[in-house]
Amino acid sequence: MAMVLSEGKLWLRIIELKKELDAVIMAHNYQRPEVQDIADVTGDSLELAREATQLDARVVVLCGVRFMAESAAILNPSRTVLLSEGTAGCPMADMINIDNLRQWKSRYPNATVVCYVNSSAEVKAESDYCCTSANALKVIEAVPNDEILFIPDRNLGHYVSTKTDKRIILYPGYCNTHHRLTMKHVMRAKQEYPDAVVLVHPECRAEVIALADAALSTSQMIQYVKDSSAKTFLIGTEEGLVYGMQKDNKDKTFHAISKVLICPDMKKTTLEKIAETMEFRKNVVVIPEEIRLRAKRALDRMLAIA
Ligand code: 13P
Ligand code: SF4
């Protein structure tokens, strides 16, 4: 049942529902501006996962994609986690399932599996360690094995492989949104803003990363622009990040490198969807206990390292 309310009324209803449910709203940095504004917490995948272990609220409304809500549920079994929009998934996470992973593990039986958090709970449960884009190198360096099977993002895995002496076996997954960004897009943007600092996400292609000043997770980018004395930035990740950067740094200017940088799943959440999800207690994330415990082990190992 769709809720037809003006934006102001939706806002007020969500605030009421937060009290009624004893809920906290967490939003990823890629969410729509109004969703970031109503959230209690915004962050990258690592911050949201970490924050999820510190919560007092009974209900967590996760505005992002499914794997993020699953991470919150895995780490917080005593809380109810609601995904803001039930169909919001991550196409890259869907590029690997347990059967694919088991096949790859049997091809590389001596490798330790490091799994990017952009993956299902089942895949995490079948992995040794998790990592995010903010800590992938740190996790890989801490693993007591020189052979790593890195899943599912080949671009992040390749980027990390250029920074370590370990043997990194790459699984062929990728993010449709970041992979669409090409050298041409970056060069065109650099021509338009020659003085701009270029920041890209490590989910981008290697040749795009090579043209950038730094490859960083979304929150690392936020910290970078805050600390930098530069005035203009070209941002090579989902365009939602530009909103928060501009809001917090009024003396600086931010441009998404290209209009192709839109993740359709991240954009599925609206204020209306949040209100509806909370009103009807929809999209509860349920993970079988046996899977949750094994997935938690991989996430806990990451949190202990990073
Ligand atoms: P971050 O962990 O950098 O926030 O990235 C998550 C993501 O989905 C990137 O596409
Ligand atoms: Fe997944 Fe890419 Fe969207 Fe991030 S931007 S949620 S990796 S599809």
Side-chain angles (χ1 to χ4, degrees):
M1 195 192 314
M3 297 186 64
V4 188
L5 294 175
S6 67
E7 179 159 335
K9 286 200 172 136
L10 275 172
W11 192 281
L12 291 173
R13 184 65 193 133
I14 292 170
I15 306 284
E16 275 172 11
L17 284 162
K18 265 179 39 169
K19 284 201 194 111
E20 266 174 44
L21 271 67
D22 183 20
V24 70
I25 300 181
M26 301 175 85
H28 187 264
N29 292 324
Y30 293 160
Q31 289 290 292
R32 291 170 185 270
E34 62 276 21
V35 174
Q36 294 190 36
D37 285 345
I38 205 160
D40 301 291
V41 180
T42 54
D44 69 2
S45 305
L46 179 61
E47 289 172 329
L48 296 181
R50 225 192 242 130
E51 199 70 33
T53 63
Q54 318 279 325
L55 296 172
D56 288 331
R58 282 196 313 117
V59 173
V60 177
V61 183
L62 202 305
C63 303
V65 294
R66 180 160 296 276
F67 77 81
M68 295 173 177
E70 285 188 350
S71 292
I74 290 165
L75 294 168
N76 277 285
S78 59
R79 309 282 185 267
T80 301
V81 178
L82 308 178
L83 175 58
S84 51
E85 157 54 43
T87 66
C90 168
M92 171 161 64
D94 295 339
M95 288 180 189
I96 187 162
N97 59 31
I98 310 191
D99 293 337
N100 309 139
L101 177 52
R102 286 188 180 148
Q103 270 172 22
W104 277 67
K105 280 169 75 166
S106 67
R107 277 164 65 186
Y108 302 100
N110 299 321
T112 296
V113 180
V114 176
C115 173
Y116 189 26
V117 285
N118 297 40
S119 51
S120 68
E122 288 81 0
V123 166
K124 286 184 179 74
E126 196 71 24
S127 301
D128 300 305
Y129 291 76
C130 282
C131 74
T132 71
S133 57
N135 62 24
L137 180 61
K138 212 169 177 183
V139 170
I140 283 171
E141 289 292 326
V143 169
N145 187 354
D146 285 341
E147 188 174 276
I148 308 289
L149 172 55
F150 190 85
I151 59 165
D153 185 11
R154 70 171 187 235
N155 285 340
L156 174 61
H158 175 269
Y159 174 67
V160 174
S161 76
T162 64
K163 311 249 168 230
T164 177
D165 291 334
K166 296 199 176 190
R167 179 179 180 225
I168 313 288
I169 301 149
L170 301 177
Y171 181 89
Y174 61 91
C175 161
N176 294 316
T177 301
H178 288 86
H179 203 67
R180 269 202 298 269
L181 191 69
T182 63
M183 289 171 76
K184 242 189 192 162
H185 291 125
V186 181
M187 288 187 309
R188 218 180 287 146
K190 277 179 141 195
Q191 252 172 12
E192 201 175 337
Y193 301 102
D195 298 329
V197 172
V198 181
L199 304 179
V200 302
H201 198 277
E203 286 178 16
C204 292
R205 297 163 187 260
E207 63 268 27
V208 164
I209 294 179
L211 290 176
D213 293 294
L216 302 167
S217 81
T218 56
S219 288
Q220 287 171 337
M221 286 190 203
I222 290 172
Q223 192 59 45
Y224 186 108
V225 304
K226 199 171 143 212
D227 296 344
S228 170
S229 57
K231 290 291 175 207
T232 311
F233 298 84
L234 286 167
I235 304 300
T237 192
E238 215 279 344
E239 52 102 47
L241 185 65
V242 170
Y243 169 73
M245 284 180 165
Q246 196 60 76
K247 189 169 114 179
D248 295 341
N249 300 275
K250 300 264 182 326
D251 57 329
K252 298 174 182 172
T253 314
F254 304 91
H255 306 276
I257 291 180
S258 163
K259 289 189 174 25
V260 300
L261 288 166
I262 293 180
C263 172
D265 283 84
M266 281 286 180
K267 296 301 186 244
K268 284 181 176 173
T269 295
T270 57
L271 290 182
E272 195 174 40
K273 296 276 178 180
I274 298 174
E276 202 177 302
T277 295
M278 293 174 82
E279 191 85 61
F280 302 107
R281 281 51 159 180
K282 278 171 50 171
N283 311 326
V284 179
V285 179
V286 181
I287 299 170
E289 188 61 3
E290 182 267 328
I291 290 173
R292 188 189 74 79
L293 287 173
R294 288 191 293 127
K296 184 171 185 299
R297 189 190 53 173
L299 278 168
D300 281 344
R301 283 178 178 165
M302 168 187 83
L303 293 170
I305 293 166

